[in-house]
Amino acid sequence: MTETANSSHSAESKGKMDPAKTVLRNINTVVYPTILCVILLSLFSDKFLTVENQLNILRSAAVAMIVGVGQVFVISARQIDLSVGSVMGLTACLTGFLVFDGYPVILCFMFAIAVGAGLGFCNGLIVGYLRVPALLGTLGMLVLARGIVQEVMYGTYHVRFPANFVVLGQGNTLGVPNLVWVAAVVVIVGHFVLTRLEYGRYILAIGGNPEAARIAGIKVRKYIIIAFVVQAALVALAAFLLMGRMNSAHPTLGQGLELHIIAGVILGGSSLFGGVGRIWGMAIAMYLIAVLENGLVLAGASFFWQQILLGLLLIISVAIQVYRTRGNRTGL
Amino acid sequence: MHFRQLTILAGIAGLCATAATAETTVSYITPSADITTGPGQTLIGVAEGLEAMEGDFKFFSAVPPAHNDPAAYDRILSDQVVLAPDYLMVTPATSMDDIYDRLNEAAAKGSKLILFAPPIGLDKHPVDPLAYIIVPEDVMGQMAGNDIATMACNEKRDPVNLAMFHGIPTSEIGKLRSAGFREAITKGLEECGITLNIVREEFTNFSRELAFRTIDPVMTAHPEINVVFGANSNTALGIMEGLQAIGKSPGADGIWIAGQGGQLDELAAVCRGEIMTVPFRDPRKMSDIALQVVQLDLAGRSSEIQPVYQTQLVPITNCDQIFETVPRAMLESKGFRPLIPEEMWQE
């Protein structure tokens, strides 16, 4: 009762808020530390703000952004995917065999996406139909896929791919790295799908209240499976580009990636409890993480400070997000 | 503003600019900053050495969050390409093959490369460093294999039932050490007629924690194991701690452990008699060599730089050898002295 009253009070006060305040209120919290970090780090290194370095930062963040788009869909549907790193390693190593067998790049690309989507489909079935909690189901896939790739490669790795393959990850178009172009397209399309298309609205509805979504006629299992398939297909896309960038594919590729991705998604404003997804926020958060990693190195700071600052930033940003959510509910 | 003030300001600006241009930038990229490890000690050695050297140096370092994450290493090296330090020192995380492209980009930006690399295919690497500083990893494995074979022959431990705990599957260092150990112990035991059974092989990714967890089921499945090889210091230490946790005694009268690398806590375990043999490579000497290369290059004496520097290895099987071989400053650190009984300390 009280909450309803407070909510209507909140809506009322929102209606009276001036546009500037509304804009400030709607901007993701991660924007502020990003701006602050960019200003501070630019004071410590004259190379930080150069175009070359900014493109380098964007390139570093691009892979995480591509994977992060998929994770926003999964987390918005009140699920989580911990298997992204292992799926990346497995997809890259299997695709590497095709590349060295001389198959055309486009076929290798389709194979990579198919492998990724297949693994995502398995995740979706495990979570959607077997009703295994996503945390445990995808944790199982994390271990399984890493085991498979280690067994398949058995101590070997792929290295020095043909030039027409490497150019995808290492080349530039109009002076901007190809990786950045791909990430930009994926982020824009992801944002459009999540906010404008029926699929995105269903995902948010499922994440907000799965039971209500089911009663409303939404096929919850189907959309959850699609979310996992999209996630893993995007991981495969990222793996494909990263193979070119690094000119190698290791069975250890992507180890620890899941924490980086989930941190970026949550930092970007998506709710770990489902129902709220922020693609742009995620993209800015991934940029912020890359800024910190890059800027602290250029500034000559020790490696341990990177970890300390990233951890602090994550806690503070999520705390602000929780505070604001609570503030919205109570009209603060 | 008066002319005099302007002159002073211009002078200060000039001095700053001169200082800025005279500064030599040096980066060391390493897979581990843990001070008990070889790369961690080399990192400290480079940082301290630069402070002690004459001249104006600025030092940068970076370490990936996980030492076997090639993508994170690639990002760090991309940052170095932008930074373009005068001297870029790199220890590869898993393999030299992963980092050629970034190294060549850094070289194209004017960075001179000093590479701490395993001794394989140096002439085939598509990169042209100022110098390679190499550790003969295969010889390290052979030394430990020879020591264990000699001990087994002397004590007539027959058969030798061996478990091998390898490193990261794709690590060149791990492969060379394991192959060297296997070759030497096979040959050494054959010569004195002792049977060798390799009863179990595991990849424990150079991880102390993984080795600790793995030794328990391995010993349960194969209680006959009496020798265990660990592909690096942390692996050997994890095996040692795991054996102690399940009530087995590592050491001369129990299960023999052969380690690799000689990080400080591993040396302390040799001193206590819990690890039987460790070939030691001096990470501080490696950093000294790297800095010597920088000095020679800065002094315009680059013709005196050797293309490849070999790091010396010393087989260590007891406490006395440690005090004879390892630099005193390293032994007095927290990584060693508190880990041995006071009565073992030698002034």
Side-chain angles (χ1 to χ4, degrees), chain A residues 277-323:
Chain A
R278 302 256 192 273
I279 301 269
W280 282 114
M282 177 280 300
I284 296 168
M286 295 304 184
Y287 172 73
L288 171 63
I289 292 172
V291 159
L292 275 175
E293 283 178 350
N294 167 280
L296 289 170
V297 170
L298 294 194
S302 86
F303 148 77
F304 301 109
W305 275 103
Q306 285 182 31
Q307 308 294 304
I308 293 167
L309 286 175
L310 275 174
L312 278 176
L313 192 69
L314 187 63
I315 293 167
I316 292 167
S317 297
V318 174
I320 291 172
Q321 188 192 341
V322 170
Y323 176 79

Side-chain angles (χ1 to χ4, degrees), chain A residues 125-255:
Chain A
L125 287 181
I126 290 166
V127 174
Y129 279 88
L130 298 182
R131 303 285 176 98
V132 177
L135 189 76
L136 298 177
T138 59
L139 185 64
M141 182 60 80
L142 178 151
V143 179
L144 177 69
R146 189 65 72 192
I148 292 172
V149 69
Q150 297 279 16
E151 179 60 31
V152 168
M153 301 304 286
Y154 211 81
T156 60
Y157 51 89
H158 303 297
V159 70
R160 288 179 227 168
F161 293 117
N164 63 338
F165 182 81
V166 172
V167 75
L168 291 168
Q170 298 201 358
N172 294 337
T173 304
L174 301 174
V176 175
N178 294 341
L179 268 169
V180 177
W181 283 116
V182 176
V185 170
V186 171
V187 166
I188 291 166
V189 171
H191 176 75
F192 180 77
V193 172
L194 189 67
T195 57
R196 296 279 188 274
L197 295 191
E198 192 177 68
Y199 171 70
R201 288 198 295 273
Y202 284 177
I203 283 288
L204 294 174
I206 291 167
N209 189 333
E211 192 52 30
R214 193 185 60 79
I215 292 166
I218 297 172
K219 291 177 179 166
V220 173
R221 287 177 183 177
K222 177 182 148 189
Y223 287 104
I224 285 176
I225 289 174
I226 293 173
F228 278 106
V229 170
V230 169
Q231 163 71 96
L234 287 173
V235 170
L237 170 64
F240 192 78
L241 295 166
L242 200 54
M243 286 166 74
R245 170 70 187 151
M246 295 175 60
N247 207 355
S248 68
H250 261 260
T252 54
L253 187 67
Q255 216 154 42

Side-chain angles (χ1 to χ4, degrees), chain A residues 44-45 47 50 52-53 56-57 59-61 150 154-160 166 170 242 244-257 260 293-294 297-304 306-307, chain B residues 29 33-34 58-66 68-71 74-76 78-85 94-102 105 109 124-126 168-172 175 203 205:
Chain A
F44 286 98
S45 172
K47 293 195 169 152
T50 59
E52 184 197 10
N53 192 46
N56 175 43
I57 292 172
R59 184 171 47 212
S60 291
Q150 297 279 16
Y154 211 81
T156 60
Y157 51 89
H158 303 297
V159 70
R160 288 179 227 168
V166 172
Q170 298 201 358
L242 200 54
R245 170 70 187 151
M246 295 175 60
N247 207 355
S248 68
H250 261 260
T252 54
L253 187 67
Q255 216 154 42
L257 179 72
H260 184 149
E293 283 178 350
N294 167 280
V297 170
L298 294 194
S302 86
F303 148 77
F304 301 109
Q306 285 182 31
Q307 308 294 304
Chain B
I29 308 304
D34 178 350
K58 185 162 186 191
F59 182 56
F60 299 87
S61 70
V63 182
N68 52 359
D69 178 1
D74 188 74
R75 289 200 300 271
I76 286 173
S78 295
D79 294 342
Q80 294 302 312
V81 174
V82 173
L83 186 67
T94 48
S95 145
M96 284 293 295
D97 286 329
D98 290 337
I99 57 178
Y100 291 139
D101 289 352
R102 298 297 91 75
E105 284 169 16
K109 293 281 295 288
K124 291 177 187 147
H125 290 170
I168 300 166
T170 52
S171 160
E172 286 162 354
K175 285 179 193 171
F203 288 99
N205 294 350

